[in-house]
Amino acid sequence: MDTKWYEKNGKDGEVVISTRVRFARNLEDYPFPIRASANIKKEITEKVKDAVLNNNSVIATRFSCINMDNIDTGKKVSLVERHLVSPEFISGSDEKTLLLLDDESVSIMINEEDHIRLQVMTEGFDLDKAYELASRIDTLLDERLKFAFSERLGYLTQCPTNLGTGMRASVMLHLPALRATKAMRKIAENLTKLGLTIRGAYGEGTDPVAGMYQLSNQISLGISEKTAIENLKNITRQLIDRELKARQAVCTQTVIQDKIYRSEGTLRYARLISCDEALKCLSDIRMGVTSGLVKNVTLDTINRLFVEIQPATLMQNAGKSLEPAERDEMRAKLIRETI
């Protein structure tokens, strides 16, 4: 099995953690999930599963099928922590099913807000790779399922904001220097004017944690998929350049260097550490690594820890439920042994 996307550092990895392309799709002649009965949802699930698992593509056999009714809350939350499903998908798991590729780069949520939420994730800044794979799977599904489509409105979706292409492309950005220089509010305002939005790492309604931001296209109607991708690529490139220049400036400051080295010391020697503190410290030393201040720690290692220290994922990997104090101890031990 391949290494998972969050265990690797990709293109422009100093700033870009990951890339995601997501398609919202609905089947013809079926009501949206909010109006569908349990029996209809079951029928939709079986149709989508058959289209994914029984086609002739080379990756069909690599998918696992997870009935959300059959897993506990901890496993559900861990899926959110690993960015494999949306927070909405794990709330009220009535007839919801996840199809997940073995390297976790592709997830297909069935009966979320729409019948299908197809998501492709890749490490680093690689919108073309993510879009190409998402489009290929989308085409295979459309040939077998026939999606609801209007010549005037494009793909029909439950939420009007997804009409048109039904596509949301996004990049996960680590922007600690721009945040430290208090530039993010102005940047967010300017991005809105360009048809883009920047949010916390877990999407709409979430706050940025540890300098992590999700930048995505906001417009899907009246614009082609490729145009939306190109717009996002251009703006991301500008943000990468701004962040790297900001790091050069702030990392010469004694107060910032002190913060980075204190965070490194905490991660190397702490016996108890909360998730919030660990994420902030990892963010600091990640900037330290890219600025040459922190040695003998790789971005691959930090990226993996960002996911593995999350509470539910930590317990899933431990194979047991843990009290908060036990999690803090295990988290500190994992970080010490890893870095």
Side-chain angles (χ1 to χ4, degrees):
M1 184 174 65
D2 293 338
T3 304
K4 296 175 175 56
W5 67 265
Y6 52 81
E7 298 175 334
K8 298 179 282 186
N9 189 56
K11 298 176 183 177
D12 297 294
E14 298 91 343
V15 176
V16 185
I17 303 291
S18 62
T19 300
R20 182 190 74 173
V21 172
R22 189 209 72 197
F23 289 130
R25 298 289 186 257
N26 289 282
L27 278 59
E28 280 186 340
D29 303 324
Y30 286 92
F32 293 132
I34 196 172
R35 299 288 301 275
S37 66
N39 286 336
I40 289 177
K41 288 180 181 179
K42 287 179 181 178
E43 187 175 338
I44 291 167
T45 298
E46 292 307 311
K47 283 180 174 289
V48 177
K49 283 170 56 179
D50 180 67
V52 174
L53 303 177
N54 296 323
N55 64 57
N56 295 321
S57 69
V58 294
I59 65 172
T61 58
R62 294 173 53 198
F63 279 96
S64 59
C65 180
I66 303 170
N67 184 324
M68 299 300 288
D69 288 327
N70 295 338
I71 62 174
D72 61 33
T73 300
K75 290 181 179 179
K76 292 176 184 178
V77 175
S78 178
L79 291 170
V80 175
E81 292 174 349
R82 283 141 57 202
H83 299 279
L84 303 178
V85 302
S86 64
E88 294 76 18
F89 189 64
I90 69 169
S91 61
S93 58
D94 178 37
E95 301 303 333
K96 293 180 180 178
T97 298
L98 174 67
L99 297 175
L100 183 63
L101 199 64
D102 53 11
D103 66 358
E104 301 188 357
S105 63
V106 181
S107 60
I108 301 173
M109 291 170 270
I110 306 175
N111 291 322
E112 198 233 29
E113 182 178 81
D114 296 287
H115 296 152
I116 297 171
R117 288 289 178 95
L118 164 64
Q119 172 182 289
V120 173
M121 298 279 291
T122 185
E123 68 279 0
F125 186 31
D126 204 338
L127 278 162
D128 290 334
K129 177 183 176 181
Y131 174 70
E132 180 184 357
L133 179 55
S135 296
R136 192 159 69 244
I137 297 173
D138 181 51
T139 299
L140 286 171
L141 293 178
D142 191 27
E143 290 174 351
R144 296 173 64 95
L145 296 172
K146 300 303 178 185
F147 294 142
F149 185 84
S150 162
E151 291 296 331
R152 183 171 65 91
L153 298 174
Y155 288 100
L156 302 181
T157 56
Q158 182 169 301
C159 180
T161 60
N162 289 321
L163 287 170
T165 63
M167 184 189 77
R168 285 288 181 270
S170 64
V171 287
M172 189 75 69
L173 302 167
H174 185 220
L175 305 174
L178 289 175
R179 187 177 188 183
T181 56
K182 303 189 185 305
M184 289 309 301
R185 176 172 293 184
K186 185 64 176 177
I187 287 172
E189 292 173 357
N190 291 334
L191 288 172
T192 299
K193 299 173 186 176
L194 298 172
L196 299 171
T197 185
I198 193 162
R199 298 164 172 159
Y202 291 95
E204 186 174 1
T206 63
D207 294 324
V209 176
M212 294 292 183
Y213 293 84
Q214 187 182 109
L215 175 68
S216 62
N217 66 299
Q218 197 169 22
I219 299 171
S220 59
L221 183 62
I223 185 173
S224 71
E225 293 171 357
K226 291 188 176 180
T227 298
I229 291 288
E230 287 303 315
N231 288 345
L232 184 57
K233 285 167 66 174
N234 292 335
I235 298 301
T236 300
R237 176 59 60 191
Q238 293 178 40
L239 283 175
I240 292 171
D241 292 342
R242 287 191 62 176
E243 170 65 21
L244 292 177
K245 288 177 181 177
R247 287 184 196 180
Q248 288 179 350
V250 301
C251 285
T252 62
Q253 300 173 16
T254 302
V255 65
I256 297 297
Q257 292 180 5
D258 183 70
K259 184 181 180 185
I260 289 170
Y261 289 132
R262 284 176 181 272
S263 291
E264 182 183 10
T266 297
L267 294 176
R268 288 192 184 278
Y269 298 107
R271 263 47 186 176
L272 294 170
I273 191 166
S274 69
C275 185
D276 185 60
E277 183 183 9
L279 289 172
K280 290 175 180 177
C281 289
L282 285 170
S283 176
D284 290 340
I285 72 163
R286 197 178 196 282
M287 181 165 65
V289 169
T290 61
S291 302
L293 297 173
V294 176
K295 311 295 183 183
N296 302 320
V297 182
T298 67
L299 294 181
D300 302 57
T301 296
I302 298 173
N303 292 349
R304 178 163 60 87
L305 283 172
F306 269 127
V307 174
E308 291 185 349
I309 66 168
Q310 299 282 342
T313 301
L314 190 72
M315 289 189 289
Q316 288 302 306
N317 290 338
K320 59 183 178 180
S321 180
L322 299 168
E323 294 298 322
E326 294 175 312
R327 292 201 300 267
D328 291 351
E329 183 176 359
M330 180 169 287
R331 182 180 296 111
K333 183 174 185 290
L334 171 63
I335 293 171
R336 289 199 313 275
E337 293 177 348
T338 302
I339 69 170

